[in-house]
Amino acid sequence: MDLHFGDSKPTDDERAAVDALFGPPESSWEGADRCDADLRWARGGREARNRRDLLLPGLHAINDRIGWISEGALGYLCRRLTVPPAEAYGVATFYAMFSVEPRPATVLQVCTDLACAAAGAAGLCAGIASRLGSDSGVSVERSPCLGLCERAPAVLAVRAGDPVRTALSAPADVETAVLAASAPGSAPEERPAAGAVPQAGDASLILLRRIGVVDPSSLDDYRAHGGYTALRRAFALGPSEVIREVTDSGLLGRGGAAFPTGRKWRATASQPDGPHYLVCNADESEPGTFKDRVLMEGDPYALVEAMTVAAYAVGAHKGYLYVRGEYPRALRRMRHAVDCARARGLLGDDVLGQGYAFDIEIRRGAGAYICGEETALFNSIEGYRGEPRSKPPFPVEKGLFGRPTVENNVETLVNVLPILTMGAPAYAAIGTPGSTGPKLFCVSGTVERPGVYELPFGATLGELLTLAGLRENLRAVLLGGAAGGFVRPDELDVPLTFEGTREAGTTLGSGVVMAFDDTVPMPRLLVRIAEFFRDESCGQCVPCRVGTVRQEEALHRIVERTGTDAADDIALLREVGRAMRDASICGLGQTAWNAVESAIDRLGAYE
Amino acid sequence: MTAIPLGVPRRLVEFTIDGQEARVPEGSTILDACRAAGKDVPTLCEGDTLTPKNACRVCVVEVEGSRTLVPACSRRAEAGMEVRTGTERARHSRKIVLELLASSVDLSTTPMVAEWIKEYDAKPDRFGPDAARLNEEPKIDNELYVRDYDKCILCYKCVDACGDQWQNTFAISVSGRGFDARIAVEHDAPLTDSACVYCGNCIEVCPTGALSFKSEFDRRAAGEWDESAQTRTTTVCAYCGVGCNLTLHVQDNDIVKVTSPHDNPVTHGNLCIKGRFGYQHVQNRG
């Protein structure tokens, strides 16, 4: 590799931001000034190249300190890691939270996605813009779902510096949004995670039982509330018995694909190639989803323990927790939890004194929905563009760094704890034979008490909405998020199980339930969904890259039209949608037409 | 003479294509098998010297039991597979992909596409006059080659050829995301400020003419490019002792571009700046 770095230089601040992450460079081969010794031997090339996966943390370090990534800063980061600048530029421009153009130190992201749009995000944007004026030194950006749907509309302010400061305001009005942007350091304390759990404290809860009950910062409190009994049982059982328990429990993945978790673990554990990796997908970016955030903010040690159990079962000694970039509090809490667990011997070389080595590395996403796709997430961790890989080979065979990898999302992993503490039969008795266990639902939109609800599989949509306080004049319910589908108000008896929703011709997805009353303009909502997919497409394959654009164009054309006037464009949408579903590389393109199709067919949105 | 590299004998995989039995060596792709069986499956991003990226999706076929269509260029044939190449479903996706591509970029210099558009009855105009297009001006910032991204279908071939698959220069990459994704050097700078070493191997693999010799670009602009009037002569490069093969494209007694045979076991179609562009001295008739 013959790298060319150009002659742009970093500022002292930019250099310091990078050096704070990697330490000072040792030789000119990785960015120091040239000295005589450097002429006689080459050190650092291969070593530095092996740290390619630190590219994303490096970009974060610069963006956090300066607010954007200059040519000089990118060049210096590339020298430190011997990454070709063109590739690093490709990575930096892939993520929404990075800028390669100068911008103000403070960025105010205003969520304009489904729940926030329904709660008046457009007016909020206009209000903020007129209040701040043009020379406020704040860059106001429209953001896809911030995962705060239970308290829409939401804004997130990020002020670059050392340290970087963030402030959330939700539900936001013009006053609080502007305050968050102008003084993120003194913004009022966010409301506790339990505020998003209307059932908090209910004795029947399993997954949410500790939220609002334990102090999320205290490991002792976690242990006092049953923490680490699952891991002890796992050590007593041994890896293959743990996998048997998980298999017998019937646990299906909760990220949306509903793949049997035990089977995935078994397939990875039996791979002769090593090392094995565990990846926890906490990049929940589906509009309307916020359960993983609430779990990480309210009960972070549970995730640390669950990851340890999973790693032990599949023979992994290293786990990556990939948290989406828009979740500053979840990131803080998880970092704290991982550090405390390590300090107390619950992570590290000798977990619980059992001679088993396991540690967790936390990685922060940077604003890309596609990185929730399992293989795109591997690329993102490895320091490449977050583009999905084509399968096969599957991750259990060749995943992170080309090694056998288990990837589960947060909710799936947290289910492993009750499986071990109550035993597989007791767990499998909850729910239905096809969908076992408790399930988390993220209810938002026009309901009285939006939030995360836990119900055993099998409750109906109507029961869930009654619990959340359904308002009158329900027009439609979006099930499964933007990649899911709409159901009508007369279909509320659909059972919330994987098989029940499938039979009803819809999907449970990741558990999103968004209610919309008749004040929400359906065609506008559909345009927003199309805009989301066009924005979040990685651009790798043609059906998705161009298809999502053509879908959005057609929906714009028919915003005000119905019946025969819309027929041509609806036919066009069907044809393009079918090709996207059939020929796209990954789930993003394959599902980008689901919600629109269901709105046309089930809701008669343009009749 | 074309050398045939001999490898370890491989087992044969038996499966069916459109109901006919097919046998191909283990590791072959469905596309290899289709070609061996004389089936016409269109491809754009597949390149004979590169690992398929399967980004364009025009080669999709139906495989029994698969939820979605699969790209023939990169999916390996497996024993017992039932492949169908010309079903309504596969043809529909190919047609839409051709429409999507032809409506967003200029495919006028892409070989074969006009025939496929006809064959699949694709109508790129039906997305309306306002359909988003690239509409970019060609980038002309050096004397050797032109980057006309209005013709780019983002097949990633040039990125792979410049990167770890051949040249190891890594001068270009994909930047941005979604419809805004583009092939670019760092900071979207001119090529002359980048790591480019002007080997031209990206031109060699470009399937659409988005990357071209300046000599070809200028002649096309002047209406003087006439492939039917060109002769091709394969010879040996005289610059060093490696012995790379050059194919000289000659029109009106002028060398108008240089390519290299892809089946050459040493270079696989790749050249260096001298072999690719260093032919002016031949034409100094002064």
Side-chain angles (χ1 to χ4, degrees), chain B residues 182-247:
Chain B
R182 295 286 185 278
I183 305 293
V185 304
E186 65 268 31
H187 304 286
D188 218 0
L191 211 56
T192 44
D193 291 347
S194 78
C196 178
V197 297
Y198 304 94
C199 63
N201 292 334
C202 54
I203 304 180
E204 182 77 48
V205 296
C206 178
T208 64
L211 302 172
S212 65
F213 277 66
K214 181 118 184 328
S215 53
E216 177 177 344
F217 182 85
D218 289 345
R219 276 185 174 78
R220 277 187 191 276
E224 292 165 3
W225 182 259
D226 182 4
E227 231 152 274
S228 64
Q230 291 171 7
T231 59
R232 297 177 182 204
T233 309
T234 298
T235 180
V236 177
C237 181
Y239 274 107
C240 75
V242 170
C244 301
N245 282 186
L246 309 179
T247 300

XYZ file of all heavy atoms in Angstrom, chain B residues 182-247:
489
model
N -21.314 9.052 -4.288
C -20.526 9.294 -5.497
C -19.171 8.629 -5.337
O -18.663 8.494 -4.229
C -20.255 10.796 -5.674
C -21.462 11.639 -5.918
C -22.012 11.470 -7.331
N -23.099 12.393 -7.544
C -24.358 12.176 -7.147
N -24.670 11.068 -6.507
N -25.289 13.083 -7.365
N -18.552 8.328 -6.495
C -17.154 7.918 -6.466
C -16.330 9.191 -6.331
O -16.551 10.155 -7.072
C -16.764 7.193 -7.769
C -17.686 6.004 -8.041
C -15.293 6.761 -7.730
C -17.575 4.869 -7.082
N -15.417 9.215 -5.376
C -14.640 10.444 -5.182
C -13.286 10.141 -4.567
O -13.106 9.126 -3.907
C -15.398 11.413 -4.267
N -12.344 11.049 -4.793
C -11.093 10.999 -4.039
C -11.335 11.761 -2.739
O -12.414 12.321 -2.534
C -9.919 11.612 -4.830
C -9.776 10.925 -6.172
C -10.107 13.110 -5.017
N -10.346 11.793 -1.861
C -10.566 12.454 -0.584
C -10.948 13.923 -0.782
O -10.375 14.612 -1.600
C -9.341 12.310 0.336
C -8.072 12.990 -0.153
C -7.210 12.044 -0.975
O -7.765 11.150 -1.635
O -5.978 12.210 -0.936
N -11.924 14.352 -0.034
C -12.427 15.734 -0.060
C -12.867 16.162 -1.449
O -12.919 17.349 -1.757
C -11.390 16.697 0.511
C -10.981 16.318 1.895
N -11.779 16.499 2.986
C -9.881 15.671 2.342
C -11.192 16.010 4.047
N -10.050 15.492 3.690
N -13.171 15.160 -2.274
C -13.690 15.447 -3.607
C -12.756 16.377 -4.388
O -13.203 17.202 -5.181
C -15.090 16.089 -3.480
C -16.004 15.589 -4.578
O -15.533 14.785 -5.394
O -17.167 16.016 -4.619
N -11.473 16.230 -4.158
C -10.469 17.105 -4.768
C -10.254 16.724 -6.240
O -10.736 15.694 -6.691
C -9.159 16.968 -4.003
N -9.532 17.580 -7.008
C -9.137 17.152 -8.349
C -8.235 15.922 -8.271
O -7.545 15.718 -7.272
C -8.345 18.352 -8.891
C -8.697 19.489 -8.015
C -9.077 18.923 -6.684
N -8.238 15.140 -9.346
C -7.447 13.914 -9.346
C -5.963 14.210 -9.128
O -5.239 13.432 -8.503
C -7.644 13.215 -10.693
C -7.567 11.701 -10.691
C -8.566 11.107 -9.722
C -7.826 11.176 -12.093
N -5.541 15.362 -9.625
C -4.120 15.708 -9.526
C -3.675 15.945 -8.084
O -2.489 15.917 -7.789
C -3.834 16.978 -10.356
O -4.884 17.918 -10.087
C -3.820 16.663 -11.824
N -4.603 16.197 -7.180
C -4.244 16.388 -5.773
C -4.408 15.101 -4.978
O -4.288 15.106 -3.757
C -5.146 17.453 -5.127
C -4.859 18.830 -5.676
O -3.824 18.972 -6.347
O -5.678 19.736 -5.455
N -4.741 14.023 -5.650
C -5.075 12.795 -4.935
C -3.923 11.806 -4.999
O -2.845 12.108 -5.489
C -6.312 12.156 -5.568
O -5.934 11.500 -6.756
N -4.192 10.613 -4.517
C -3.178 9.570 -4.512
C -3.089 8.845 -5.859
O -2.310 7.917 -6.017
C -3.499 8.566 -3.405
N -3.868 9.269 -6.839
C -3.939 8.564 -8.126
C -2.559 8.443 -8.775
O -1.789 9.398 -8.799
C -4.875 9.318 -9.069
S -4.993 8.575 -10.708
N -2.263 7.248 -9.275
C -0.978 7.041 -9.967
C -1.186 6.884 -11.472
O -0.279 6.505 -12.193
C -0.220 5.815 -9.401
C 0.141 6.043 -7.948
C -1.031 4.535 -9.562
N -2.409 7.133 -11.950
C -2.711 7.129 -13.383
C -2.365 5.798 -14.052
O -1.777 5.777 -15.126
C -2.022 8.313 -14.083
C -2.407 9.626 -13.457
C -1.620 10.197 -12.463
C -3.593 10.252 -13.823
C -2.004 11.373 -11.841
C -3.977 11.429 -13.199
C -3.183 11.987 -12.215
O -3.555 13.139 -11.606
N -2.696 4.719 -13.410
C -2.490 3.413 -14.046
C -3.603 3.136 -15.040
O -3.454 2.308 -15.936
C -2.437 2.307 -13.002
S -3.971 2.115 -12.057
N -4.745 3.793 -14.840
C -5.858 3.584 -15.761
C -6.562 2.255 -15.587
O -7.405 1.882 -16.401
N -6.241 1.531 -14.532
C -6.916 0.236 -14.353
C -8.401 0.415 -14.043
O -9.198 -0.486 -14.269
C -6.237 -0.569 -13.245
C -4.842 -0.994 -13.660
O -4.563 -1.127 -14.851
N -3.963 -1.170 -12.697
N -8.762 1.580 -13.516
C -10.189 1.855 -13.275
C -10.923 2.038 -14.593
O -12.072 1.635 -14.730
C -10.338 3.089 -12.383
S -9.473 4.538 -12.993
N -10.231 2.639 -15.593
C -10.859 2.794 -16.910
C -11.079 1.413 -17.517
O -12.108 1.134 -18.126
C -9.976 3.626 -17.861
C -9.655 4.984 -17.254
C -10.657 3.786 -19.209
C -8.785 5.841 -18.143
N -10.078 0.555 -17.316
C -10.145 -0.793 -17.888
C -11.404 -1.527 -17.428
O -12.003 -2.287 -18.168
C -8.895 -1.581 -17.465
C -8.800 -2.990 -18.014
C -8.360 -3.019 -19.483
O -7.378 -2.351 -19.818
O -9.010 -3.712 -20.270
N -11.811 -1.317 -16.161
C -12.937 -2.095 -15.632
C -14.268 -1.350 -15.681
O -15.309 -1.943 -15.430
C -12.673 -2.551 -14.171
C -11.492 -3.489 -14.121
C -12.478 -1.364 -13.246
N -14.252 -0.061 -15.997
C -15.503 0.708 -15.970
C -16.473 0.190 -17.032
O -16.136 0.130 -18.209
C -15.212 2.191 -16.200
S -16.718 3.185 -16.230
N -17.689 -0.187 -16.625
C -18.604 -0.796 -17.595
C -19.454 0.207 -18.370
O -20.202 -0.193 -19.260
C -19.507 -1.657 -16.707
C -19.581 -0.903 -15.420
C -18.249 -0.190 -15.265
N -19.352 1.488 -18.049
C -20.299 2.438 -18.651
C -19.651 3.566 -19.429
O -20.351 4.373 -20.033
C -21.171 3.107 -17.568
O -20.307 3.888 -16.733
C -21.915 2.089 -16.744
N -18.347 3.660 -19.366
C -17.700 4.802 -20.002
C -17.672 6.032 -19.120
O -17.341 7.121 -19.582
N -18.013 5.872 -17.850
C -17.915 7.016 -16.935
C -16.461 7.421 -16.772
O -16.150 8.589 -16.566
C -18.512 6.659 -15.583
N -15.570 6.453 -16.841
C -14.137 6.752 -16.836
C -13.624 6.458 -18.233
O -13.855 5.379 -18.768
C -13.414 5.848 -15.823
C -13.905 5.942 -14.387
C -13.243 4.875 -13.531
C -13.608 7.324 -13.828
N -12.956 7.427 -18.819
C -12.466 7.169 -20.172
C -11.144 7.889 -20.412
O -10.803 8.850 -19.719
C -13.491 7.614 -21.211
O -13.660 9.004 -21.175
N -10.425 7.420 -21.427
C -9.226 8.117 -21.889
C -9.634 9.504 -22.349
O -10.665 9.661 -22.982
C -8.630 7.385 -23.096
C -7.756 6.220 -22.754
C -8.272 5.093 -22.154
C -6.398 6.258 -23.055
C -7.464 4.021 -21.853
C -5.578 5.188 -22.748
C -6.107 4.070 -22.145
N -8.789 10.490 -22.063
C -9.083 11.830 -22.569
C -9.139 11.791 -24.095
O -9.954 12.463 -24.721
C -8.016 12.822 -22.083
C -8.250 14.231 -22.530
C -8.463 15.135 -21.351
C -8.813 16.574 -21.695
N -8.249 17.128 -22.896
N -8.256 10.958 -24.684
C -8.241 10.864 -26.153
C -9.593 10.381 -26.676
O -10.100 10.895 -27.666
C -7.129 9.917 -26.605
O -7.243 8.660 -25.950
N -10.196 9.423 -25.965
C -11.510 8.933 -26.401
C -12.580 9.995 -26.158
O -13.430 10.256 -27.010
C -11.867 7.643 -25.647
C -13.251 7.123 -26.007
C -13.625 5.809 -25.328
O -12.724 5.118 -24.801
O -14.829 5.480 -25.317
N -12.512 10.617 -24.979
C -13.511 11.623 -24.613
C -13.516 12.761 -25.637
O -14.573 13.180 -26.119
C -13.213 12.154 -23.206
C -14.203 13.148 -22.703
C -15.371 12.732 -22.083
C -13.991 14.513 -22.860
C -16.303 13.653 -21.623
C -14.910 15.438 -22.405
C -16.068 15.012 -21.788
N -12.318 13.250 -25.993
C -12.234 14.367 -26.940
C -12.762 13.968 -28.311
O -13.461 14.730 -28.956
C -10.780 14.845 -27.065
C -10.306 15.560 -25.806
O -11.180 15.928 -24.986
O -9.090 15.737 -25.628
N -12.401 12.755 -28.735
C -12.873 12.321 -30.058
C -14.390 12.154 -30.064
O -15.055 12.480 -31.040
C -12.205 11.011 -30.446
C -10.845 11.219 -31.073
C -10.259 9.906 -31.558
N -9.015 10.127 -32.288
C -7.849 10.378 -31.702
N -7.768 10.436 -30.392
N -6.765 10.583 -32.425
N -14.923 11.632 -28.968
C -16.386 11.497 -28.902
C -17.042 12.879 -28.963
O -18.035 13.080 -29.653
C -16.811 10.811 -27.606
C -16.729 9.294 -27.641
C -17.339 8.710 -26.361
N -17.048 7.296 -26.246
C -17.756 6.325 -26.818
N -18.817 6.647 -27.548
N -17.428 5.065 -26.679
N -16.462 13.826 -28.212
C -17.034 15.169 -28.174
C -17.008 15.792 -29.565
O -17.914 16.539 -29.945
C -16.266 16.043 -27.180
N -15.966 15.482 -30.326
C -15.854 16.055 -31.663
C -16.586 15.218 -32.707
O -16.547 15.527 -33.906
C -14.374 16.172 -32.041
N -17.216 14.138 -32.253
C -17.945 13.277 -33.176
C -17.013 12.442 -34.055
O -17.372 12.005 -35.139
N -15.790 12.234 -33.574
C -14.812 11.508 -34.395
C -14.483 10.122 -33.861
O -13.484 9.524 -34.236
C -13.503 12.325 -34.482
C -13.651 13.610 -35.282
C -12.487 14.563 -35.056
O -11.545 14.192 -34.322
O -12.541 15.683 -35.590
N -15.290 9.668 -32.913
C -15.009 8.336 -32.342
C -15.779 7.305 -33.149
O -16.995 7.374 -33.261
C -15.447 8.299 -30.885
C -15.154 6.986 -30.197
C -16.044 5.986 -29.945
C -13.900 6.561 -29.679
N -15.415 4.951 -29.300
C -14.093 5.277 -29.120
C -12.619 7.138 -29.639
C -13.068 4.558 -28.514
C -11.593 6.412 -29.031
C -11.819 5.145 -28.472
N -15.072 6.367 -33.733
C -15.737 5.391 -34.591
C -15.137 4.006 -34.350
O -14.112 3.646 -34.927
C -15.569 5.806 -36.058
C -16.290 4.839 -36.998
O -16.965 3.904 -36.494
O -16.162 5.012 -38.218
N -15.787 3.266 -33.471
C -15.210 1.990 -33.070
C -15.114 1.023 -34.256
O -14.208 0.205 -34.327
C -16.027 1.383 -31.927
C -15.143 0.984 -30.765
C -15.862 1.029 -29.423
O -15.910 2.114 -28.809
O -16.370 -0.016 -29.031
N -16.058 1.147 -35.189
C -16.056 0.200 -36.307
C -14.851 0.430 -37.216
O -14.443 -0.455 -37.967
C -17.361 0.328 -37.095
O -17.421 1.624 -37.663
N -14.279 1.619 -37.132
C -13.126 1.906 -37.986
C -11.804 1.628 -37.264
O -10.736 1.948 -37.773
C -13.170 3.365 -38.447
N -11.895 1.066 -36.058
C -10.669 0.863 -35.288
C -10.141 -0.562 -35.463
O -10.910 -1.507 -35.592
C -10.937 1.113 -33.798
C -11.203 2.577 -33.493
C -11.685 2.793 -32.069
O -11.701 1.868 -31.261
N -12.090 4.014 -31.777
N -8.834 -0.681 -35.442
C -8.234 -2.018 -35.393
C -7.654 -2.224 -33.999
O -7.331 -1.260 -33.301
C -7.089 -2.154 -36.411
O -6.108 -1.156 -36.112
C -7.609 -1.985 -37.826
N -7.545 -3.457 -33.583
C -6.957 -3.764 -32.276
C -5.771 -4.689 -32.499
O -5.895 -5.717 -33.156
C -7.956 -4.483 -31.390
C -9.152 -3.615 -31.085
C -10.156 -4.375 -30.263
N -11.310 -3.528 -30.016
C -12.138 -3.686 -28.994
N -11.949 -4.679 -28.143
N -13.156 -2.873 -28.847
N -4.646 -4.308 -31.967
C -3.447 -5.122 -32.119
C -2.855 -5.394 -30.746
O -2.556 -4.456 -30.001
C -2.395 -4.381 -32.968
O -3.023 -3.943 -34.169
C -1.228 -5.292 -33.291
N -2.709 -6.661 -30.402
C -2.118 -6.972 -29.109
C -0.624 -7.198 -29.286
O -0.185 -7.928 -30.181
C -2.794 -8.203 -28.509
O -4.163 -7.897 -28.310
C -2.172 -8.568 -27.168
N 0.145 -6.521 -28.451
C 1.600 -6.594 -28.557
C 2.196 -6.606 -27.151
O 1.465 -6.704 -26.179
C 2.119 -5.397 -29.396
O 3.537 -5.481 -29.480
C 1.727 -4.064 -28.772
N 3.513 -6.534 -27.066
C 4.156 -6.549 -25.756
C 4.657 -5.157 -25.438
O 5.215 -4.477 -26.297
C 5.337 -7.550 -25.750
C 6.053 -7.521 -24.415
C 4.835 -8.945 -26.043
N 4.467 -4.741 -24.218
C 4.914 -3.414 -23.800
C 6.442 -3.382 -23.813
O 7.095 -4.317 -23.362
C 4.389 -3.094 -22.403
S 4.886 -1.460 -21.818
N 7.001 -2.307 -24.330
C 8.452 -2.244 -24.495
C 9.155 -1.525 -23.353
O 10.361 -1.390 -23.345
C 8.772 -1.544 -25.808
N 8.382 -1.052 -22.363
C 9.012 -0.192 -21.349
C 9.916 -0.951 -20.377
O 10.952 -0.482 -19.977
C 7.953 0.566 -20.566
C 7.558 1.854 -21.240
C 6.337 1.979 -21.873
C 8.421 2.949 -21.237
C 5.971 3.152 -22.499
C 8.066 4.129 -21.859
C 6.840 4.237 -22.490
O 6.491 5.402 -23.099
N 9.512 -2.113 -19.911
C 10.364 -2.830 -18.963
C 10.333 -4.310 -19.310
O 9.800 -4.718 -20.328
C 9.921 -2.582 -17.524
S 8.426 -3.485 -17.063
N 10.851 -5.125 -18.447
C 10.988 -6.531 -18.793
C 9.873 -7.446 -18.331
O 9.953 -8.657 -18.487
N 8.828 -6.891 -17.737
C 7.761 -7.753 -17.225
C 7.049 -8.473 -18.363
O 6.713 -9.650 -18.260
C 6.770 -6.943 -16.374
C 5.523 -7.768 -16.043
C 7.437 -6.482 -15.095
N 6.868 -7.768 -19.458
C 6.221 -8.393 -20.606
C 4.728 -8.293 -20.620
O 4.027 -9.212 -21.037
N 4.187 -7.190 -20.113
C 2.735 -7.018 -20.126
C 2.227 -6.949 -21.564
O 2.884 -6.402 -22.444
C 2.357 -5.720 -19.415
S 2.914 -5.675 -17.713
N 1.054 -7.474 -21.778
C 0.426 -7.379 -23.096
C -0.371 -6.088 -23.203
O -1.095 -5.716 -22.279
C -0.549 -8.552 -23.312
C 0.199 -9.840 -23.657
O -0.397 -10.837 -23.970
N 1.524 -9.802 -23.582
N -0.206 -5.422 -24.324
C -0.992 -4.217 -24.603
C -1.873 -4.490 -25.807
O -1.436 -5.145 -26.747
C -0.094 -3.035 -24.978
C 1.079 -2.659 -24.095
C 1.810 -1.471 -24.732
C 0.577 -2.277 -22.718
N -3.081 -3.983 -25.778
C -3.891 -3.998 -26.987
C -4.044 -2.556 -27.456
O -4.608 -1.721 -26.737
C -5.270 -4.627 -26.722
O -5.065 -5.960 -26.274
C -6.112 -4.643 -27.995
